[in-house]
Amino acid sequence: SHHALPTTPSNRFGIVDGTLGTPVKGLSPLKLEVSENSWAAHQQKTGWAWDTLPMPSDEQVARNIKSILNKLTFEKFESLSKQLVGCGLRSAAHAELLIHEIFEKVTSR
């Protein structure tokens, strides 16, 4: 039989209040520890911290998305898709804008 898929990411991944799985009364979510040899520990030691980079404004992210999509061709897909991933996308609103812009491009051609 064919089951209906959940409609929200929180249901799809079992996320409840930002944690995975079903919450257990009286227990708090586990905090992940950074191991000595982890990527995060290496970044801290070398001084490269993603959270210290200036984040582009929502307007700049929108301009980046539109600019990258305007250049998109089959030949440039791989390099531009990497630029798109790194252009500052960080919220559901940014993802919605990206989807809207892609839909506009597809339906206008």
Side-chain angles (χ1 to χ4, degrees):
S1 85
H2 195 279
H3 297 286
L5 293 175
T7 58
T8 64
S10 60
N11 290 344
R12 187 177 324 138
F13 299 111
I15 297 172
V16 179
D17 296 330
T19 62
L20 286 175
T22 306
V24 177
K25 190 173 185 174
L27 293 180
S28 60
L30 293 175
K31 178 166 173 46
L32 295 177
E33 299 295 327
V34 177
S35 72
E36 184 179 329
N37 296 324
S38 72
W39 179 86
H42 176 72
Q43 298 308 309
Q44 289 172 351
K45 288 177 192 172
T46 60
W48 181 256
W50 288 99
D51 58 351
T52 62
L53 294 176
M55 295 304 294
S57 67
D58 290 340
E59 294 79 19
Q60 184 61 49
V61 172
R63 285 193 296 273
N64 291 344
I65 289 170
K66 291 175 183 181
S67 173
I68 293 166
L69 291 177
N70 281 333
K71 300 172 194 169
L72 193 57
T73 64
F74 285 114
E75 296 79 20
K76 296 179 182 178
F77 176 80
E78 190 169 335
S79 66
L80 291 177
S81 63
K82 289 177 185 173
Q83 286 182 35
L84 199 54
V85 168
C87 79
L89 297 170
R90 64 186 181 281
S91 71
H94 294 157
E96 288 176 18
L97 175 65
L98 175 59
I99 292 165
H100 173 76
E101 291 297 323
I102 291 171
F103 185 77
E104 287 295 314
K105 293 284 180 202
V106 170
T107 58
S108 68
R109 293 188 179 185

